[in-house]
Amino acid sequence: MADHQKEESVGESLMDKISEKIHSHDSSSSSDSDNDEKSKSPPSSIKSKIHRIFGREKPVHKVLGGGKPADIFLWRNKKISGGILGGATAVWVLFELIEYHLLTLVCHGLILALAILFLWSNASTFINKSPPRIPEIHIPEEPVLQVAAALRIEINRAFSVLRDIASGRDLKKFLSVIAGLWILSIVGRWCNFLTLFYIVFVLLHTVPVFYEKYDDKIDAFAEKAMIEIKKQYAVLDSKVLSKIPRGPLKDKKKV
């Protein structure tokens, strides 16, 4: 009887040890999974806390309007984007470095094209070949009217913005426009219009794709910069801008 009781006690102790090991393994695995979830959760929370530049909530591709222009700026098709950038670079080198004039280039191109077509048309009778088929080109009316209407809307909007700024109602907008025009005048003093246009063209082909790749870091840095700018503007407003007399305010709308 005593030996039987000892065997039972030994068996129970072994079962207890096995069950303890199983429970400890389950608890450690659950704690590891909890730790993994906690370690994975902060990046999403950090990303949600980051404020996008200019309040952007859409992807960069949508901000650029989508479609083929956005694909070109973001180098979705590297051959097309590289070809366009290379062509713009060739034009800039041709007119800026070689100092070739636009009117001269157009005239020389027309002379060469007309001479080739004229000789080909007359020589086709002697060499028994068909003359070149010169297509008839007509500019449709509807696209021209659409472009003119869109341009008119944008010009009227620009005039309206300039009128609001000149009326003296928004001092912050006035100072930002003055600063932008002043910087643009300095840039225009360094280079001509063609070089400025080429610089903007290159920036459009480099900045969006660089921002799309490193948007989290850039947005975090821009957020800190905007906070500092707002602090400095608040100090400037309290000490200087608030003492400047403002223009007449708009009449309040009647409810």
Side-chain angles (χ1 to χ4, degrees), residues 100-116:
Y100 209 75
H101 299 286
L102 178 62
L103 183 60
T104 305
L105 178 64
V106 172
C107 291
H108 287 176
L110 289 175
I111 290 171
L112 182 62
L114 291 175
I116 292 173

Side-chain angles (χ1 to χ4, degrees), residues 160-217:
S160 177
V161 171
L162 292 175
R163 182 177 178 276
D164 290 338
I165 293 172
S167 62
R169 298 185 180 94
D170 194 342
L171 185 59
K172 185 177 180 180
K173 187 183 292 186
F174 170 76
L175 292 176
S176 61
V177 171
I178 293 298
L181 291 174
W182 181 66
I183 294 172
L184 190 62
S185 66
I186 294 175
V187 175
R189 191 183 304 170
W190 294 340
C191 56
N192 56 16
F193 179 76
L194 180 61
T195 303
L196 182 61
F197 181 80
Y198 176 70
I199 291 172
V200 173
F201 191 81
V202 172
L203 290 176
L204 285 174
H205 280 78
T206 53
V207 173
V209 66
F210 180 79
Y211 173 72
E212 187 183 36
K213 189 175 181 180
Y214 303 102
D215 56 349
D216 292 336
K217 296 180 180 179

